[in-house]
Amino acid sequence: YLLCASGDFVKVYSVSTEETLSLMGGHADLVTGIQLNPHNHMQLYSSSLDGTIKLWDFMDGIPIKTFSVGSKLLALYTLTSAEDSVFVVIPKKGERDTFQLVSVKLTKGAGQDLESKEVSVVLDGVGASMKHIAFGREGAYVVSVKDVNLQVYFFKRKLLNRFSLSKIKTKGGDNHFSCVVCHPTEDCIATGHADGKIRLWRNFHHKKEYTYSTLHWHHDIVMDLAFSVEGTRLLSGGVESVLVQWHNESSCQKDFLPRLGAPIEYISMSSDGALCCTLHTDNRITIINSNLRFSRSIQGLIKSRDVKTGLVVDPRTKALVLNGEPGHLQFYSLQSDQQLFSLDIVQRQYIHEAGLKQSDLVKVAFSARGTWLATVEESEEVADPELQLKLWFYHEEAQSFVLNTRINTPHDNHITDMCFRDMDELGDDSLILVTAGRDCVFKVWVMVEDSDPEAQQSVSWSCDFVGSYHNYQATNCCFSEDGSLLAVSFEETVTVWDSLTWDLKCTFCHPPGNIRKICFGRLTCSKYLIGATDYGFLCCWNLLTCALEWSAHLNVVVLQPDPLSEHIAAVSWLSKESSLFVFKPNEPRPIYIQKNLCKEKILLATFVPRDEPETISSEKYLWLRKSQLFFLTDTQELMTLSTKALEERLTPSSKQLAVEESLPVTPFSLLLGKHRRQQAQEDTDLGKPVVLTKQEQASPAVKELLHTPAHVLPSASFLCTIFINSLLISKENKSAEEVADEVEMESEKAEDDSDEEDVTAMEQEDTSHMELLGEMTCKLSKSQEKELRRIRKMDYSWISAF
């Protein structure tokens, strides 16, 4: 298993299949550290900025204990020798940007939520990063690095040694520490530095007699270091995207694993030494064998420098499409939380050097069926950018997009918006692409048959119409739901055009301020056009009356319609706070308002259609029944609005036991369910009472017994009585003979009571089935019941010998 911290959660991956096995949530803020419990490797500790430490059973995703420390936790460490204690980095009270390493005594108690306020300071003035602290062999000492200073604290001797390097940068050297790691079996400390050097420290028990040797290959900062389990190999990584393996602490003996795709941020070794993994700046984990061979890769959502394409949904895969690696388009699966594939759009080698003007992807649009993809790439030149419009066709055999048409300089200035005419029912013959630019025109592109007999494809794209309005810059464009109208905004004015004749039909304006976003209403609200201005107004125009229907004073930065309903989501930014408003164009009053949605500024949003409409009990979330809303913040965090509580979404065994709906649908279950429904219907038609079986009653005790992990269950003898009692069907009316029998049974022994309950349950179960079949049943006499109890008490253990 591979465990990693991801935002507020801890993810458990399968190393062999790369699948996400478990998503453990419960922290209220960023998870800053995870460590295996040194006394039980099936358990995991996690720390968070919310000031808590959680102990997990990561095999089942169950939180066992929560320890509240009461201060922000920036890093977490565990030691085998430190029983019932962990080490964390916390801010020093009363001082800014000063941190200290402390030991936290984990309180023992019966409850799940415990207070752990017993804290003792180990080191002052430590770095906030987890890579700045390391523990020596057998936990004998702890090492901390910060700036150009290294300090070693010996626990038994209670001795602190400090060592400093020169701050003066000579011959391109920079002695600032970037990371530290300790040898697992020897007294050796390895430190990485900002100039790419690695120093190996020895004899640091003495302040003046210490020594260090230097290894140098990296040309820039060493991001992380890791020793192998035996300590014979040292791994290092940095901005070169190369994993370096040093043998026997010698600069002459080293191996390389190059072209890993992105700078290496963290390196981790497996406990058996068979695998190591690297975490990269592009949000990717690479799993590597011990012989330095690539094994697997787990790619998450790539953090691009700037998401210029917006959030777009691929109609074919329902994947989220946006900027990925420089010049690439990433297709990100929201269901599996992994990247499906990456498409190279620019098809040029990107050079990672500041100051270079290079081409990047800025606009993306899909046709309604997802068969055509339009992309715009432009250079970073502000005054005279190089533009390219590319049209891609999805090739079924290759299962990828293939370049069909390349158009150089489609506009004389930056392209501001682009959209396809979404007329799915008319097929590809009705496809029209519209681009709007700062050159004060919008252009219409259509498919034409290629007359060149040597051409590899039968169709290509060419310009069919050029429109403008008073020499204003075109800023936004969108088609109506039926594709008959095109709306193009020119600074302060919205123009509406007929998509067949390209005649200008009407214009709308709401000064002051330029039009920031526009969209048409859908379904029953298709007669409305919505626009948001940069002066803080949200306007709704009626296309039938050509008049303003209503307006609201709202600083809208994101305006996103739901493709499957009439709802439109508007995100505002005011007083450093993002708020969400959901409304229908025909109703000026919002149907949903969420103030202070998040602390960061929301830049982009999109609705992703659900595979099946979700059953929502709360009325205020009914607008999310068909689609799910996703946001992207200025810190490039992808967020979503959920209709369920955290416990329901994660569905751990300890929190949610009713899992019938999530059980796999098999042919047998379908057949059995159909048979039960038919039988119940026949009984209802015949006027017979339908008796629920134990399974249909869905006993919580049975669910808890079946879905709770075996290693945390109490003994079977303790559960037996509870389990048997849960299977019984209570009778509202009892006869006098039954009451007398129960009084007589209470005088029997405890085990007889248990047997009697079993017999009664069996008898009632048989009776229920017989009643369903419409047959008469006979009640056992008192003597027969006693005989049956005697038979059940007989010892049949001799059968096990056979």
Side-chain angles (χ1 to χ4, degrees):
Y1 302 100
L2 178 63
L3 306 155
C4 76
S6 177
D8 302 348
F9 301 91
V10 178
K11 293 182 179 179
V12 182
Y13 291 101
S14 169
V15 174
S16 57
T17 65
E18 307 170 19
E19 291 180 305
T20 305
L21 301 179
S22 178
L23 182 65
M24 300 185 295
H27 285 293
D29 208 333
L30 185 71
V31 176
T32 55
I34 54 173
Q35 295 286 344
L36 288 176
N37 184 355
H39 306 288
N40 186 345
H41 289 287
M42 306 301 287
Q43 296 177 353
L44 177 81
Y45 285 108
S46 65
S47 64
S48 169
L49 292 179
D50 63 4
T52 63
I53 300 171
K54 287 184 178 291
L55 177 63
W56 304 86
D57 179 345
F58 66 83
M59 294 292 293
D60 299 299
I62 299 174
I64 301 173
K65 297 281 185 182
T66 299
F67 305 94
S68 179
V69 181
S71 180
K72 285 186 177 181
L73 309 180
L74 304 173
L76 174 69
Y77 310 90
T78 57
L79 284 181
T80 307
S81 57
E83 191 173 354
D84 299 330
S85 294
V86 296
F87 296 87
V88 294
V89 174
I90 63 173
K92 190 173 183 179
K93 293 181 180 180
E95 296 186 26
R96 190 177 179 181
D97 296 332
T98 305
F99 308 96
Q100 51 189 188
L101 176 69
V102 300
S103 173
V104 179
K105 182 75 173 179
L106 300 180
T107 310
K108 291 184 178 180
Q112 189 172 7
D113 297 325
L114 302 172
E115 295 280 340
S116 294
K117 303 296 184 181
E118 189 176 339
V119 175
S120 56
V121 179
V122 179
L123 279 177
D124 262 329
V126 301
S129 172
M130 184 177 179
K131 296 184 286 187
H132 291 168
I133 294 176
F135 287 82
R137 60 178 182 89
E138 299 178 359
Y141 53 89
V142 59
V143 185
S144 169
V145 295
K146 186 178 181 182
D147 296 332
V148 293
N149 301 311
L150 180 146
Q151 50 183 347
V152 184
Y153 178 75
F154 299 91
F155 288 101
K156 289 185 177 179
R157 298 162 56 190
K158 295 184 178 180
L159 175 67
L160 178 64
N161 288 345
R162 290 188 175 92
F163 309 97
S164 297
L165 297 174
S166 174
K167 289 186 178 182
I168 302 174
K169 299 179 181 179
T170 57
K171 298 180 181 180
D174 188 349
N175 291 330
H176 280 78
F177 290 96
S178 59
C179 55
V180 63
V181 67
C182 294
H183 197 286
T185 59
E186 301 176 6
D187 288 335
C188 174
I189 301 171
T191 58
H193 298 265
D195 58 0
K197 292 179 182 178
I198 301 172
R199 287 183 170 87
L200 300 174
W201 302 71
R202 293 186 180 276
N203 203 25
F204 43 81
H205 299 80
H206 307 281
K207 288 187 177 182
K208 295 183 179 180
E209 298 177 5
Y210 70 93
T211 61
Y212 65 78
S213 57
T214 304
L215 307 175
H216 197 182
W217 179 87
H218 299 277
H219 81 277
D220 209 326
I221 183 172
V222 179
M223 301 289 285
D224 201 12
L225 296 167
F227 274 106
S228 63
V229 177
E230 306 85 3
T232 56
R233 296 174 290 123
L234 176 65
L235 300 174
S236 63
V239 297
E240 304 87 359
S241 308
V242 178
L243 183 65
V244 185
Q245 181 175 260
W246 309 83
H247 295 274
N248 301 319
E249 304 171 13
S250 171
S251 59
C252 300
Q253 302 179 23
K254 54 182 178 289
D255 298 319
F256 304 94
L257 181 61
R259 295 183 293 277
L260 290 178
I264 298 171
E265 279 193 316
Y266 290 93
I267 305 173
S268 179
M269 293 290 300
S270 63
S271 56
D272 59 358
L275 297 172
C276 80
C277 71
T278 55
L279 176 64
H280 301 261
T281 55
D282 62 351
N283 200 25
R284 176 168 47 88
I285 298 174
T286 303
I287 302 173
I288 302 166
N289 293 325
S290 57
N291 56 0
L292 223 61
R293 294 293 180 90
F294 173 85
S295 176
R296 295 183 181 275
S297 178
I298 301 173
Q299 177 68 69
L301 184 67
I302 296 176
K303 285 191 174 183
S304 178
R305 294 179 304 166
D306 188 11
V307 183
K308 301 175 183 178
T309 61
L311 296 181
V312 186
V313 179
D314 178 13
R316 302 184 76 261
T317 61
K318 294 183 181 177
L320 203 61
V321 182
L322 65 161
N323 290 98
E325 299 176 29
H328 287 68
L329 201 59
Q330 62 171 321
F331 290 71
Y332 174 74
S333 173
L334 296 165
Q335 288 75 27
S336 62
D337 192 21
Q338 291 188 24
Q339 186 187 99
L340 294 181
F341 63 95
S342 179
L343 183 63
D344 188 359
I345 301 296
V346 176
Q347 298 178 343
R348 296 180 188 175
Q349 181 65 39
Y350 187 85
I351 302 173
H352 293 270
E353 186 174 335
L356 292 179
K357 303 297 183 181
Q358 305 181 75
S359 295
D360 201 3
L361 187 61
V362 293
K363 298 294 177 186
V364 169
F366 284 93
S367 63
R369 296 182 178 181
T371 54
W372 285 95
L373 167 67
T375 61
V376 175
E377 59 191 67
E378 63 181 35
S379 64
E380 296 175 347
E381 298 287 346
V382 178
D384 187 19
E386 294 181 7
L387 299 176
Q388 273 196 351
L389 172 64
K390 293 180 179 179
L391 281 302
W392 307 74
F393 179 74
Y394 187 80
H395 197 279
E396 291 289 346
E397 294 182 0
Q399 290 290 296
S400 182
F401 286 93
V402 179
L403 183 62
N404 175 271
T405 304
R406 178 190 287 110
I407 303 169
N408 293 319
T409 317
H411 285 261
D412 294 332
N413 207 331
H414 293 277
I415 293 178
T416 55
D417 203 0
M418 176 173 62
C419 64
F420 277 97
R421 182 168 69 176
D422 292 333
M423 298 177 68
D424 191 15
E425 67 277 359
L426 297 181
D428 289 344
D429 295 337
S430 66
L431 271 182
I432 291 176
L433 176 68
V434 174
T435 57
R438 291 183 185 173
D439 55 354
C440 304
V441 299
F442 71 91
K443 293 186 177 183
V444 179
W445 308 85
V446 296
M447 281 193 297
V448 295
E449 292 187 2
D450 203 326
S451 58
D452 187 0
E454 297 182 359
Q456 295 182 356
Q457 59 265 352
S458 59
V459 296
S460 61
W461 290 75
S462 66
C463 183
D464 182 63
F465 178 78
V466 179
S468 63
Y469 183 78
H470 293 295
N471 204 31
Y472 293 149
Q473 288 187 357
T475 53
N476 297 278
C477 62
C478 66
F479 279 97
S480 61
E481 185 178 13
D482 60 358
S484 61
L485 297 176
L486 170 69
V488 182
S489 63
F490 290 90
E491 297 184 8
E492 293 186 355
T493 308
V494 179
T495 60
V496 181
W497 306 72
D498 189 327
S499 66
L500 295 178
T501 62
W502 300 117
D503 292 334
L504 179 62
K505 291 296 182 181
C506 62
T507 62
F508 299 108
C509 187
H510 193 281
N514 294 333
I515 301 296
R516 180 182 285 169
K517 302 286 182 181
I518 57 172
C519 70
F520 280 95
R522 304 183 71 89
L523 302 177
T524 61
C525 300
S526 57
K527 65 179 181 179
Y528 298 103
L529 178 64
I530 313 298
T533 70
D534 56 9
Y535 263 66
F537 283 95
L538 180 65
C539 309
C540 177
W541 293 284
N542 191 319
L543 296 171
L544 300 181
T545 62
C546 295
L548 180 67
E549 190 80 7
W550 55 264
S551 66
H553 189 61
L554 193 65
N555 183 29
V556 176
V557 293
V558 176
L559 189 67
Q560 186 65 37
D562 182 4
L564 300 181
S565 70
E566 301 94 342
H567 301 106
I568 297 177
V571 179
S572 70
W573 174 252
L574 186 64
S575 302
K576 297 183 179 180
E577 178 181 295
S578 290
S579 301
L580 173 65
F581 300 85
V582 180
F583 63 94
K584 290 183 179 181
N586 58 355
E587 300 175 6
R589 181 171 296 177
I591 63 172
Y592 178 83
I593 299 176
Q594 178 66 56
K595 294 289 188 69
N596 194 14
L597 187 63
C598 65
K599 300 176 183 177
E600 299 83 12
K601 183 178 181 179
I602 294 176
L603 301 179
L604 303 166
T606 188
F607 280 96
V608 179
R610 300 184 189 273
D611 295 330
E612 294 291 337
E614 187 171 339
T615 303
I616 298 176
S617 57
S618 176
E619 287 189 9
K620 70 175 184 177
Y621 290 120
L622 284 178
W623 58 278
L624 285 172
R625 195 172 71 88
K626 295 182 179 180
S627 302
Q628 191 171 2
L629 184 60
F630 287 87
F631 311 97
L632 191 72
T633 66
D634 54 357
T635 57
Q636 296 202 20
E637 290 185 2
L638 185 64
M639 309 171 70
T640 186
L641 198 66
S642 177
T643 60
K644 298 179 180 179
L646 180 65
E647 289 80 4
E648 291 183 82
R649 286 187 282 119
L650 300 177
T651 61
S653 302
S654 63
K655 297 290 183 183
Q656 189 173 359
L657 301 170
V659 294
E660 285 79 7
E661 292 81 2
S662 62
L663 291 176
V665 179
T666 62
F668 178 74
S669 66
L670 290 174
L671 181 63
L672 184 60
K674 182 179 179 181
H675 171 73
R676 286 177 175 174
R677 287 192 296 270
Q678 288 177 349
Q679 184 67 45
Q681 184 64 36
E682 291 174 3
D683 291 343
T684 305
D685 295 340
L686 294 173
K688 298 175 182 178
V690 179
V691 181
L692 294 177
T693 62
K694 307 331 158 266
Q695 291 79 5
E696 290 170 333
Q697 285 185 335
S699 168
V702 176
K703 292 176 187 175
E704 188 165 1
L705 181 64
L706 296 178
H707 298 101
T708 303
H711 61 278
V712 298
L713 280 174
S715 62
S717 59
F718 177 80
L719 292 173
C720 182
T721 305
I722 303 174
F723 177 66
I724 296 300
N725 286 334
S726 69
L727 298 179
L728 297 177
I729 300 177
S730 60
K731 288 187 177 181
E732 296 181 0
N733 299 320
K734 298 182 180 181
S735 64
E737 184 179 354
E738 288 175 323
V739 174
D741 288 344
E742 288 182 0
V743 172
E744 184 177 359
M745 288 177 192
E746 288 177 359
S747 62
E748 300 285 342
K749 294 182 179 179
E751 57 182 341
D752 290 342
D753 289 343
S754 178
D755 293 338
E756 178 61 19
E757 289 167 3
D758 288 349
V759 174
T760 307
M762 292 172 60
E763 175 187 325
Q764 292 170 352
E765 191 171 5
D766 293 339
T767 303
S768 300
H769 290 298
M770 295 301 286
E771 288 178 357
L772 284 172
L773 296 173
E775 298 180 2
M776 297 297 295
T777 60
C778 59
K779 192 176 188 307
L780 293 176
S781 65
K782 188 174 180 181
S783 60
Q784 289 175 327
E785 290 178 357
K786 290 185 177 180
E787 179 65 14
L788 185 58
R789 287 203 306 273
R790 187 186 64 80
I791 294 173
R792 288 180 57 84
K793 290 166 60 177
M794 293 181 65
D795 185 13
Y796 296 100
S797 60
W798 55 272
I799 299 178
S800 60
F802 297 92

